[in-house]
PDB file of all heavy atoms in Angstrom:
ATOM      1  N   PHE A 235      -3.338   5.980   1.891  1.00  0.00           N
ATOM      2  CA  PHE A 235      -3.929   5.047   2.876  1.00  0.00           C
ATOM      3  C   PHE A 235      -3.073   4.848   4.120  1.00  0.00           C
ATOM      4  O   PHE A 235      -3.539   4.381   5.146  1.00  0.00           O
ATOM      5  CB  PHE A 235      -4.122   3.671   2.208  1.00  0.00           C
ATOM      6  CG  PHE A 235      -2.857   2.843   2.136  1.00  0.00           C
ATOM      7  CD1 PHE A 235      -2.682   1.740   2.958  1.00  0.00           C
ATOM      8  CD2 PHE A 235      -1.833   3.182   1.273  1.00  0.00           C
ATOM      9  CE1 PHE A 235      -1.522   0.980   2.911  1.00  0.00           C
ATOM     10  CE2 PHE A 235      -0.667   2.432   1.219  1.00  0.00           C
ATOM     11  CZ  PHE A 235      -0.511   1.336   2.044  1.00  0.00           C
ATOM     12  N   LYS A 236      -1.806   5.204   4.029  1.00  0.00           N
ATOM     13  CA  LYS A 236      -0.818   4.729   5.003  1.00  0.00           C
ATOM     14  C   LYS A 236      -1.115   5.071   6.458  1.00  0.00           C
ATOM     15  O   LYS A 236      -0.759   4.327   7.372  1.00  0.00           O
ATOM     16  CB  LYS A 236       0.552   5.296   4.629  1.00  0.00           C
ATOM     17  CG  LYS A 236       1.242   4.478   3.542  1.00  0.00           C
ATOM     18  CD  LYS A 236       2.265   3.590   4.139  1.00  0.00           C
ATOM     19  CE  LYS A 236       2.500   2.348   3.328  1.00  0.00           C
ATOM     20  NZ  LYS A 236       3.453   1.443   3.926  1.00  0.00           N
ATOM     21  N   ASP A 283       9.218   6.385   2.420  1.00  0.00           N
ATOM     22  CA  ASP A 283       9.258   7.057   1.121  1.00  0.00           C
ATOM     23  C   ASP A 283       8.420   8.328   1.163  1.00  0.00           C
ATOM     24  O   ASP A 283       8.450   9.138   0.270  1.00  0.00           O
ATOM     25  CB  ASP A 283       8.673   6.143   0.057  1.00  0.00           C
ATOM     26  CG  ASP A 283       7.222   5.865   0.380  1.00  0.00           C
ATOM     27  OD1 ASP A 283       6.357   6.646  -0.029  1.00  0.00           O
ATOM     28  OD2 ASP A 283       6.945   4.891   1.098  1.00  0.00           O
ATOM     29  N   ASN A 285       4.650   8.522   2.440  1.00  0.00           N
ATOM     30  CA  ASN A 285       3.278   8.388   2.938  1.00  0.00           C
ATOM     31  C   ASN A 285       3.203   7.860   4.371  1.00  0.00           C
ATOM     32  O   ASN A 285       2.427   8.360   5.180  1.00  0.00           O
ATOM     33  CB  ASN A 285       2.478   7.453   2.020  1.00  0.00           C
ATOM     34  CG  ASN A 285       2.287   8.066   0.646  1.00  0.00           C
ATOM     35  OD1 ASN A 285       2.081   9.263   0.523  1.00  0.00           O
ATOM     36  ND2 ASN A 285       2.354   7.243  -0.388  1.00  0.00           N
ATOM     37  N   ALA A 392       2.817  -3.757  -4.203  1.00  0.00           N
ATOM     38  CA  ALA A 392       3.614  -4.022  -3.001  1.00  0.00           C
ATOM     39  C   ALA A 392       4.949  -3.299  -3.031  1.00  0.00           C
ATOM     40  O   ALA A 392       5.619  -3.232  -4.068  1.00  0.00           O
ATOM     41  CB  ALA A 392       3.854  -5.523  -2.837  1.00  0.00           C
ATOM     42  N   GLY A 393       5.290  -2.768  -1.859  1.00  0.00           N
ATOM     43  CA  GLY A 393       6.643  -2.309  -1.586  1.00  0.00           C
ATOM     44  C   GLY A 393       7.308  -3.422  -0.794  1.00  0.00           C
ATOM     45  O   GLY A 393       7.925  -4.333  -1.336  1.00  0.00           O
ATOM     46  N   VAL A 394       7.101  -3.399   0.541  1.00  0.00           N
ATOM     47  CA  VAL A 394       7.574  -4.517   1.369  1.00  0.00           C
ATOM     48  C   VAL A 394       6.510  -5.611   1.481  1.00  0.00           C
ATOM     49  O   VAL A 394       6.775  -6.701   1.973  1.00  0.00           O
ATOM     50  CB  VAL A 394       7.951  -4.047   2.791  1.00  0.00           C
ATOM     51  CG1 VAL A 394       9.121  -3.073   2.743  1.00  0.00           C
ATOM     52  CG2 VAL A 394       6.756  -3.432   3.509  1.00  0.00           C
ATOM     53  N   GLY A 395       5.280  -5.302   1.067  1.00  0.00           N
ATOM     54  CA  GLY A 395       4.211  -6.313   1.078  1.00  0.00           C
ATOM     55  C   GLY A 395       3.343  -6.291   2.327  1.00  0.00           C
ATOM     56  O   GLY A 395       2.564  -7.228   2.542  1.00  0.00           O
ATOM     57  N   SER A 396       3.427  -5.231   3.140  1.00  0.00           N
ATOM     58  CA  SER A 396       2.564  -5.158   4.332  1.00  0.00           C
ATOM     59  C   SER A 396       1.115  -4.970   3.909  1.00  0.00           C
ATOM     60  O   SER A 396       0.214  -5.671   4.378  1.00  0.00           O
ATOM     61  CB  SER A 396       2.961  -3.978   5.227  1.00  0.00           C
ATOM     62  OG  SER A 396       4.290  -4.065   5.609  1.00  0.00           O
ATOM     63  N   MET A 397       0.876  -4.002   3.041  1.00  0.00           N
ATOM     64  CA  MET A 397      -0.483  -3.713   2.601  1.00  0.00           C
ATOM     65  C   MET A 397      -1.043  -4.905   1.820  1.00  0.00           C
ATOM     66  O   MET A 397      -2.168  -5.362   2.072  1.00  0.00           O
ATOM     67  CB  MET A 397      -0.458  -2.441   1.750  1.00  0.00           C
ATOM     68  CG  MET A 397      -1.810  -1.915   1.345  1.00  0.00           C
ATOM     69  SD  MET A 397      -2.464  -2.697  -0.142  1.00  0.00           S
ATOM     70  CE  MET A 397      -1.479  -1.938  -1.415  1.00  0.00           C
ATOM     71  N   GLY A 451       6.705   4.704  -3.397  1.00  0.00           N
ATOM     72  CA  GLY A 451       6.185   3.946  -2.260  1.00  0.00           C
ATOM     73  C   GLY A 451       6.479   2.454  -2.370  1.00  0.00           C
ATOM     74  O   GLY A 451       6.368   1.724  -1.382  1.00  0.00           O
ATOM     75  N   LEU A 452       6.838   2.017  -3.561  1.00  0.00           N
ATOM     76  CA  LEU A 452       7.079   0.581  -3.763  1.00  0.00           C
ATOM     77  C   LEU A 452       8.569   0.289  -3.908  1.00  0.00           C
ATOM     78  O   LEU A 452       8.949  -0.851  -4.188  1.00  0.00           O
ATOM     79  CB  LEU A 452       6.325   0.094  -5.006  1.00  0.00           C
ATOM     80  CG  LEU A 452       4.859   0.558  -5.152  1.00  0.00           C
ATOM     81  CD1 LEU A 452       4.214  -0.099  -6.373  1.00  0.00           C
ATOM     82  CD2 LEU A 452       4.049   0.243  -3.901  1.00  0.00           C
ATOM     83  N   SER A 502       2.582   5.191  -7.177  1.00  0.00           N
ATOM     84  CA  SER A 502       2.415   3.914  -6.468  1.00  0.00           C
ATOM     85  C   SER A 502       0.947   3.515  -6.418  1.00  0.00           C
ATOM     86  O   SER A 502       0.608   2.333  -6.530  1.00  0.00           O
ATOM     87  CB  SER A 502       2.960   4.008  -5.043  1.00  0.00           C
ATOM     88  OG  SER A 502       4.322   4.338  -5.076  1.00  0.00           O
ATOM     89  N   THR A 539      -3.895   3.574  -3.721  1.00  0.00           N
ATOM     90  CA  THR A 539      -3.389   3.817  -2.375  1.00  0.00           C
ATOM     91  C   THR A 539      -2.863   5.235  -2.150  1.00  0.00           C
ATOM     92  O   THR A 539      -2.538   5.588  -1.022  1.00  0.00           O
ATOM     93  CB  THR A 539      -2.294   2.790  -2.034  1.00  0.00           C
ATOM     94  OG1 THR A 539      -1.406   2.697  -3.171  1.00  0.00           O
ATOM     95  CG2 THR A 539      -2.885   1.435  -1.747  1.00  0.00           C
ATOM     96  N   GLU A 540      -2.749   6.025  -3.217  1.00  0.00           N
ATOM     97  CA  GLU A 540      -2.345   7.429  -3.015  1.00  0.00           C
ATOM     98  C   GLU A 540      -2.870   8.296  -4.148  1.00  0.00           C
ATOM     99  O   GLU A 540      -3.059   7.840  -5.277  1.00  0.00           O
ATOM    100  CB  GLU A 540      -0.818   7.580  -2.937  1.00  0.00           C
ATOM    101  CG  GLU A 540      -0.105   7.309  -4.236  1.00  0.00           C
ATOM    102  CD  GLU A 540       1.395   7.562  -4.220  1.00  0.00           C
ATOM    103  OE1 GLU A 540       1.909   8.165  -3.266  1.00  0.00           O
ATOM    104  OE2 GLU A 540       2.056   7.151  -5.197  1.00  0.00           O
TER     105      GLU A 540
HETATM  106  C1  PLP B 219       0.993   4.780  -1.993  1.00  0.00           C
HETATM  107  C2  PLP B 219       1.548   3.485  -1.560  1.00  0.00           C
HETATM  108  N1  PLP B 219       1.028   2.355  -2.057  1.00  0.00           N
HETATM  109  C3  PLP B 219       1.503   1.154  -1.695  1.00  0.00           C
HETATM  110  C4  PLP B 219       2.539   1.033  -0.813  1.00  0.00           C
HETATM  111  C5  PLP B 219       3.079  -0.320  -0.512  1.00  0.00           C
HETATM  112  O1  PLP B 219       2.909  -0.709   0.773  1.00  0.00           O
HETATM  113  P1  PLP B 219       3.852  -1.843   1.396  1.00  0.00           P
HETATM  114  O2  PLP B 219       5.202  -1.240   1.590  1.00  0.00           O
HETATM  115  O3  PLP B 219       3.141  -2.219   2.596  1.00  0.00           O
HETATM  116  O4  PLP B 219       3.932  -2.943   0.400  1.00  0.00           O
HETATM  117  C6  PLP B 219       3.104   2.192  -0.261  1.00  0.00           C
HETATM  118  C7  PLP B 219       4.210   2.115   0.710  1.00  0.00           C
HETATM  119  O5  PLP B 219       4.754   3.088   1.155  1.00  0.00           O
HETATM  120  C8  PLP B 219       2.602   3.452  -0.644  1.00  0.00           C
HETATM  121  O6  PLP B 219       3.120   4.587  -0.166  1.00  0.00           O
END
Side-chain angles (χ1 to χ4, degrees):
F235 80 107
K236 278 259 152 183
D283 62 87
N285 293 322
V394 296
S396 303
M397 187 275 285
L452 315 185
S502 301
T539 46
E540 68 175 348

